[in-house]
Amino acid sequence: MGMSSFIIYPAIDIRGGKCVRLIQGDYNQETVYNDNPVEVAKSWEEQGGQFIHLVDLDGAKAGHPVNDELIGRIAASANVPVQVGGGLRTLADVERLLTLGVSRVIIGTAAIEDRAFTEEVLGKYGDKVAIGIDARNGYVATRGWLETSEVQAEILAQELAAKGAETFIFTDISRDGMMQGPNVEAIVSLAKASRRSVIASGGVTKLEDLLALSAHRGNGVGGAIVGKALYTGNIDLQEAVTRIGS
């Protein structure tokens, strides 16, 4: 998996032990897709998924992991690596998930709000960490997208790359769940600025979006997280994996 590989990450959002999707991060707009996330992970793996993306929505809201036991079961039953985000705020939380067999942890809002913690995690587990950067018009958004900071996404990425970050997950939050395509330009720009691998999140609605992103794998666009479009059938995972290759 060199700098030029492009990986599709099927997303499983966990809330109350079920696989759900939220619209624009709104907890009041939820669709339950499956009562058993372990089965969902298995099915994405069977369809060619190379890496599973898990979000502990309860954890994101609580500020600490909530669905650990379930995440551990998914990691144990999957034969592909798993990355997890949602409420990771302490080194103990990070280490517990890694001990459960998670391959990569995602540090989100905490990266902006607690730089000391972020740098400590990067110093210890840099290659097992993805930094989630959610941006609105180029500026970092925090607190479940309710607030926009004064921090430019590209500057933050450069600073954290210098501290050991190898992977960024970039979400253009104006596009998430709205089915209108990813902000390819912003993603490529972040990859070039940080000189690290950037995974696109949000806005991928059709195969063409994945092809457009993967065309920039040479510039560090390392993959894309796909959620809603897989569940609605707009994208067929097996077809996408075949078309993009690795």
Side-chain angles (χ1 to χ4, degrees), residues 19-212:
C19 171
V20 306
R21 288 297 289 168
L22 304 182
I23 297 171
Q24 288 261 247
D26 182 351
Y27 282 75
N28 296 316
Q29 295 189 66
E30 167 188 283
T31 308
V32 174
Y33 284 110
N34 196 304
D35 288 343
N36 188 342
V38 179
E39 278 173 19
V40 179
K42 265 296 192 223
S43 88
W44 292 140
E45 183 188 322
E46 281 159 15
Q47 291 170 57
Q50 302 145 298
F51 212 123
I52 306 284
H53 174 80
L54 298 178
V55 182
D56 182 349
L57 287 171
D58 301 300
K61 206 167 188 180
H64 57 85
V66 172
N67 290 289
D68 297 30
E69 192 263 335
L70 176 57
I71 288 163
R73 272 193 287 140
I74 293 169
S77 65
N79 295 307
V80 294
V82 169
Q83 65 182 17
V84 179
L88 293 169
R89 297 282 186 279
T90 69
L91 199 59
D93 287 341
V94 167
E95 290 176 340
R96 195 166 64 254
L97 285 181
L98 292 173
T99 306
L100 286 171
V102 168
S103 296
R104 191 190 282 152
V105 292
I106 302 160
I107 307 295
T109 304
I112 295 90
E113 313 222 320
D114 187 348
R115 189 66 74 89
F117 159 67
T118 305
E119 292 182 7
E120 183 183 17
V121 173
L122 287 173
K124 210 166 178 189
Y125 302 109
D127 60 336
K128 294 188 171 73
V129 179
I131 301 290
I133 296 184
D134 300 334
R136 190 186 275 114
N137 304 322
Y139 285 87
V140 174
T142 60
R143 297 256 167 213
W145 304 353
L146 301 176
E147 298 168 16
T148 304
S149 72
E150 302 299 307
V151 181
Q152 272 183 293
E154 292 184 8
I155 306 272
L156 177 67
Q158 287 172 338
E159 290 174 358
L160 295 178
K163 299 291 182 182
E166 298 287 340
T167 309
F168 294 97
I169 295 174
F170 178 80
T171 308
D172 183 331
I173 64 176
S174 55
R175 301 188 183 214
D176 185 70
M178 292 288 101
M179 306 298 268
Q180 52 180 211
N183 188 339
V184 178
E185 205 176 300
I187 294 155
V188 172
S189 183
L190 189 75
K192 286 179 170 172
S194 65
R195 294 201 175 93
R196 297 296 186 273
S197 178
V198 177
I199 300 166
S201 172
V204 172
T205 62
K206 50 191 192 291
L207 181 59
E208 288 70 23
D209 293 332
L210 291 171
L211 295 171

